[in-house]
Amino acid sequence: MSKTGKIAKKAGKTKAAGKYAGMSGAEVFHQMLLEEGVEIMFGFPGGAVLPIFDVLYRSPIKFILTRHEQGATHMADGYARSTGRVGVVIATSGPGATNLVTGLATANMDSIPLVAFTGQVRSNLIGNDAFQEADITGVTRPITKHNFLVKRVEDLGRTVKEAFYIARTGRPGPVLVDIAVDSTVARLDGEPGLAPDLPGYKPTTAGNIRQVKLAAEAINAARQPVLYVGGGVVSSNASAELRKLAEKASIPVTTTLLALGTFDERSPLALQMLGMHGSAAANYAVQDCDCLIAVAARFDDRVTGNIANFAPRAKVIHIDIDPASISKNVVVDIPVVGDAKDILTRMLEFIQPLDRSVWLAKTDQWKKRHPFKYATDGKIKPQEVVARLGELTGHDAIVATGVGQHQMWTAQFYGWRKPRQIITSGGLGTMGFGCPASIGAQFGNPGATVIDIDGDGSFCMTMVEVITAARYQQPVKFVVLDNEYLGMVRQWQEMFYGRRYSSVSHPCPEFARIAEGFGARGMKITERSELDDAIREMLKHPGPVVMHVAVEPEENVYPIVAAGKALHEMDLGKLA
Ligand SMILES: Cc1ncc(C[n+]2csc(CCOP(=O)(O)OP(=O)(O)O)c2C)c(N)n1
Ligand SMILES: [Mg+2]
């Protein structure tokens, strides 16, 4: 903390004039957002945040009024994932605050930096069941990286700064600041202490050099190493360093769903995604490797399958900024705690370029024998739509998804080239994420092609935000793969519950007509012969478009690693 900050904090109410003295809490709040460089925020107003909205009336910060607070949180999240900046969301007390819960949990599971502000009832009413009171710090404690309740104007500015600092440093995550309305009305009677005061929070960024060397030695000694890359490589902007390591040492690379794009899938070293619906090559390689280099990944159960038989022969190296994730799910032989970019950079100089052609020939064979594939007979196949979208956008679009089969096909078939290209809910698996998240990504990337490849079920959950896209002229392309089912659940019922389709049939409304009513362009296609032209037309349209595609209803996602099975026991289905 700065000396002046300390003095001001101790003094509490000093009369000294200063930049902030005499400001209202709402004005201090706004000033802090400006100092943090916030350019855009997403949200929805209400009684407990009226003083803040009154200040925002004249703010240079762009405010996006969404149609639902959940939409606002996912928009802030899509903005954060696609830009690397902190997403900001604001909602009122009570129902406004509780509507943020799914968005916060989504961001928390995927380590996405968000700061959410909620209004709270007057400080003297907290705990009285006042109108629109909800204990949102209690509710969100397990689904945020950290949260705060501000009751005094003197604490407001510093807390806002701390929230941004916590959200973006270390392992990023969402931070909620609940603000009692009277603290936004009250005026500062002096200069507040503004420097963050977080003695218990000191994220490690530089990896221990001994561990870095140990890891490098293990890699140099390995004949069949695999790089298993997670979402932390996106947050630490480490994909260039990852490529250097992979290429220098001839190590094949598989990524998690969240890390797609951190390693260009055109590389001969690319094994694509691993896990439950990962590529055969990635899964076989992990099971066969003698050294698994996990880079900023967390050994999620959708990645590992049966954990007792995960990478059974491998020495495991784990690079991660969060010490709590080391040996949490899989026992790690060589942990290196710190920032992935920093650690990979320093590790590179100890890495020997070795000939690993025997190992690469083996992984190549798996790639050739069991590529992701689909048939092109009968109705339009969902995979085909994704593959055509990849081709016709030059694999260069930012692509958001909902959750379900369409999400997995998007991961498998788009063809990923660069980091921050995929915007998807991995850890929580939140249906309804795609539509608002894609709009947030478009706000953060004006001029970029942004597509939401969505499921009919997922899209229904939050499609009201198409109104937001239309109102603010965000040209997002929403492609709804309508298989008339909650497809992923149907697939499980088909495979594991004797085809008893229980509550998964999902007849859809006319999305194209809804889109027109929402102020966007609507299209509907049912024939393969229309597909390419329709995609081209959609991409050319300057505004938002909803393209409703009727696809094969009972297509399944392959490979699939069934519950309890190890990765190499995957069912290859049609890929066998
Ligand atoms: C909010 C939420 N509720 C329930 C689920 C469970 N779930 C996972 S996938 C899925 C079906 C998704 O259907 P759709 O969006 O049409 O995608 P499809 O699998 O058909 O491609 C469901 C219900 C979930 N992930 N999220
Ligand atoms: Mg569906």
Side-chain angles (χ1 to χ4, degrees):
M1 183 186 295
S2 75
K3 211 168 164 195
T4 45
K6 238 181 219 163
I7 292 164
K9 204 178 168 197
K10 265 196 200 133
K13 289 188 175 182
T14 43
K15 292 279 177 196
K19 197 167 157 195
Y20 308 99
M23 277 188 179
S24 72
E27 286 164 344
V28 175
F29 169 83
H30 181 240
Q31 194 56 39
M32 295 304 114
L33 297 189
L34 292 176
E35 288 181 18
E36 288 296 324
V38 174
E39 54 176 25
I40 189 166
M41 51 204 292
F42 304 87
F44 205 87
V49 281
L50 273 171
I52 287 176
F53 275 78
D54 195 43
V55 172
L56 294 178
Y57 184 66
R58 288 187 205 292
S59 175
I61 300 171
K62 197 186 278 179
F63 189 89
I64 307 306
L65 176 63
T66 62
R67 302 291 160 152
H68 191 298
E69 290 89 350
Q70 181 185 352
T73 328
H74 293 326
M75 277 184 216
D77 182 320
Y79 171 85
R81 289 183 203 237
S82 64
T83 62
R85 305 176 58 119
V86 178
V88 182
V89 55
I90 180 162
T92 193
S93 65
T98 55
N99 273 349
L100 301 182
V101 166
T102 301
L104 292 170
T106 303
N108 196 48
M109 288 290 267
D110 290 347
S111 306
I112 305 303
L114 292 191
V115 175
F117 297 105
T118 48
Q120 182 53 280
V121 300
R122 297 181 65 82
S123 53
N124 63 340
L125 292 180
I126 291 176
N128 278 17
D129 290 342
F131 178 63
Q132 295 196 323
E133 179 181 3
D135 174 10
I136 200 64
T137 47
V139 170
T140 60
R141 186 153 297 130
I143 55 164
T144 49
K145 182 173 174 185
H146 195 63
N147 66 20
F148 298 93
L149 169 61
V150 177
K151 295 203 232 173
R152 302 181 332 141
V153 63
E154 292 82 5
D155 299 327
L156 186 52
R158 190 192 69 254
T159 307
V160 172
K161 294 226 150 177
E162 288 172 352
F164 277 90
Y165 180 69
I166 293 171
R168 72 168 174 261
T169 53
R171 178 177 181 168
V175 179
L176 179 130
V177 185
D178 194 26
I179 308 173
V181 61
D182 47 318
S183 73
T184 61
V185 178
R187 290 197 175 271
L188 272 178
D189 188 11
E191 198 70 358
L194 288 175
D197 183 13
L198 300 163
Y201 179 70
K202 298 223 170 359
T204 315
T205 53
N208 179 305
I209 191 68
R210 268 195 49 221
Q211 294 301 101
V212 170
K213 281 187 187 160
L214 272 179
E217 280 165 22
I219 294 169
N220 292 338
R223 298 159 69 101
Q224 304 197 150
V226 167
L227 275 154
Y228 148 47
V229 174
V233 169
V234 181
S235 19
S236 99
N237 297 311
S239 62
E241 292 72 16
L242 167 69
R243 183 169 50 79
K244 279 187 202 149
L245 172 61
E247 286 176 357
K248 182 170 183 185
S250 299
I251 306 175
V253 179
T254 177
T255 73
T256 65
L257 175 66
L258 290 188
L260 288 169
T262 57
F263 195 73
D264 189 328
E265 292 189 342
R266 283 171 299 186
S267 163
L269 295 169
L271 299 174
Q272 301 182 275
M273 184 172 77
L274 81 166
M276 180 174 275
H277 296 296
S279 75
N283 287 346
Y284 287 140
V286 166
Q287 293 304 83
D288 206 33
C289 74
D290 60 356
C291 177
L292 185 72
I293 310 148
V295 189
R298 63 185 178 86
F299 300 87
D300 177 84
D301 56 275
R302 284 293 189 268
V303 158
T304 61
N306 183 339
I307 207 142
N309 288 323
F310 175 69
R313 283 186 272 282
K315 183 168 246 188
V316 179
I317 298 168
H318 190 186
I319 299 170
D320 205 288
I321 197 151
D322 181 5
S325 82
I326 304 283
S327 292
K328 184 173 175 177
N329 300 334
V330 163
V331 179
V332 169
D333 299 296
I334 307 173
V336 194
V337 175
D339 176 67
K341 189 184 188 81
D342 181 89
I343 290 168
L344 291 179
T345 305
R346 289 194 299 148
M347 191 184 273
L348 261 167
E349 61 177 293
F350 305 112
I351 293 289
Q352 289 159 9
L354 293 176
D355 174 19
R356 294 199 163 96
S357 51
V358 177
W359 175 226
L360 293 180
K362 206 167 174 184
T363 58
D364 267 350
Q365 245 189 13
W366 287 320
K367 278 162 67 169
K368 288 206 184 87
R369 206 175 295 159
H370 310 290
F372 292 127
K373 65 177 183 220
Y374 55 90
T376 48
D377 56 336
K379 288 192 108 176
I380 303 176
K381 300 291 185 287
Q383 301 95 317
E384 180 177 9
V385 182
V386 175
R388 294 313 297 152
L389 283 166
E391 194 70 22
L392 294 170
T393 54
H395 307 278
D396 192 46
I398 296 172
V399 180
T401 76
V403 168
Q405 293 180 310
H406 66 280
Q407 177 190 31
M408 294 299 110
W409 287 318
T410 301
Q412 294 177 343
F413 289 98
Y414 183 77
W416 304 98
R417 303 283 189 259
K418 56 183 189 187
R420 301 196 184 280
Q421 216 183 343
I422 188 165
I423 312 292
T424 194
S425 166
L428 198 66
T430 306
M431 287 175 68
F433 177 75
C435 170
S438 63
I439 300 169
Q442 184 78 76
F443 275 114
N445 296 269
T449 301
V450 179
I451 304 181
D452 171 31
I453 302 182
D454 225 327
D456 49 314
S458 298
F459 190 62
C460 278
M461 287 198 168
T462 53
M463 65 180 174
V464 69
E465 301 301 347
V466 172
I467 307 173
T468 310
R471 176 194 171 175
Y472 292 99
Q473 299 173 335
Q474 297 302 300
V476 177
K477 313 307 178 206
F478 305 93
V479 178
V480 184
L481 301 181
D482 176 9
N483 51 9
E484 302 163 41
Y485 279 114
L486 300 172
M488 187 57 97
V489 182
R490 185 206 58 73
Q491 177 172 348
W492 280 58
Q493 290 177 346
E494 178 188 331
M495 297 180 76
F496 310 121
Y497 291 87
R499 281 189 155 266
R500 291 181 295 282
Y501 288 177
S502 181
S503 297
V504 288
S505 159
H506 194 264
C508 285
E510 288 298 336
F511 291 117
R513 288 172 60 193
I514 292 174
E516 298 280 345
F518 281 174
R521 165 114 193 256
M523 301 168 74
K524 182 170 186 183
I525 62 164
T526 52
E527 302 301 323
R528 172 168 296 111
S529 56
E530 305 170 286
L531 185 60
D532 275 17
D533 284 347
I535 292 175
R536 283 197 193 94
E537 198 180 320
M538 170 185 82
L539 293 172
K540 239 192 279 157
H541 185 72
V545 180
V546 175
M547 187 165 103
H548 183 173
V549 190
V551 296
E552 180 76 53
E554 298 205 24
E555 191 69 15
N556 285 336
V557 182
Y558 289 109
I560 176 168
V561 179
K565 301 272 186 188
L567 291 186
H568 63 276
E569 298 169 317
M570 73 196 124
D571 177 353
L572 288 164
K574 292 175 184 166
L575 315 186

